[in-house]
Amino acid sequence: MRVLVVEDERRMAVALRRGLQAEGFAVDLAHDGNEGLHLARAGDYDVVVLDIMLPGMSGYNVCKQLRAEENWVPILMLSAKDGEYDMADGLDLGADDYLTKPFSYVVLVARIRALLRRGGGRRPAVLRAGDLSLDPAVRLVTRGDTPVELTPREFALLEYLMRRPGEVVSKPEILEHVWDTYDTDPNVVEVYVGYLRRKIDAPFGRTALQTVRGAGYRLSGDGG
């Protein structure tokens, strides 16, 4: 398995390479963001370990650029910044995991192996279904060029459905993932589906959000 480590602290980078090689990984190093982006584009890596604070180009921008190019290599971000918003920024830009310095080397290797098991499937930072798009990082929904204003709960419901395009999702599943409970009246899901339809479908003559009788709801992958 090939790992790219992008880390400007050279002693740490060398130590990571030595340790990962001892675990059986083939490891390349980059010491700034521009070099890291170049290698990630050119190399067939299984995982990229990416520091955030890099000279030339930040880890955030490296990650953002790779995802914009539809490069879905798993990315584990490293950072001395331990704020929850820093972590959220990295994950929203398309990183797969986030580890705060100083970290346990055992945990780092375990996280890398978990990413390898998961693989590098398509995980776009901006979700799309036809001309319907949702950007979790800036909490923006658009239908074509028209912004669509949603409440936080409507946004969460739409995001969950857009992450599973074309799949039938049951009310209990939606309650668990959007409301974080099974105890809420299931009819609330139907109410919020109605709210969404009046905002993302009806004004545009679309039928993206479909009811599958007796099973749940489905968001059409082509945007209706």
Side-chain angles (χ1 to χ4, degrees), residues 7-129:
E7 169 61 68
D8 64 321
E9 296 180 24
R10 292 179 180 266
R11 290 178 60 185
M12 174 175 284
V14 170
L16 287 174
R17 178 171 61 185
R18 185 183 303 118
L20 290 172
Q21 286 175 336
E23 297 287 338
F25 295 104
V27 183
D28 291 333
L29 298 182
H31 300 297
D32 64 64
N34 291 317
E35 182 187 12
L37 179 60
H38 172 73
L39 288 177
R41 284 169 165 166
D44 185 19
Y45 293 102
D46 297 289
V47 174
V48 174
V49 178
L50 179 64
D51 190 31
I52 289 179
M53 303 299 290
L54 294 168
M57 175 184 288
S58 73
Y60 287 138
N61 287 333
V62 172
C63 180
K64 182 178 180 180
Q65 186 62 38
L66 288 173
R67 297 310 189 226
E69 297 170 4
E70 299 195 352
N71 184 327
W72 308 114
V73 59
I75 294 175
L76 169 60
M77 279 192 160
L78 302 179
S79 178
K81 304 169 73 176
D82 61 358
E84 60 183 11
Y85 291 104
D86 299 309
M87 182 181 299
D89 286 343
L91 296 175
D92 280 340
L93 287 171
D96 299 274
D97 203 352
Y98 188 105
L99 200 55
T100 302
K101 299 176 182 177
F103 51 81
S104 160
Y105 178 74
V106 173
V107 171
L108 172 70
V109 172
R111 297 278 186 93
I112 290 174
R113 294 198 186 281
L115 290 178
L116 289 171
R117 289 193 297 271
R118 191 184 310 168
R122 179 181 175 86
R123 295 178 304 280
V126 178
L127 306 177
R128 302 186 190 279

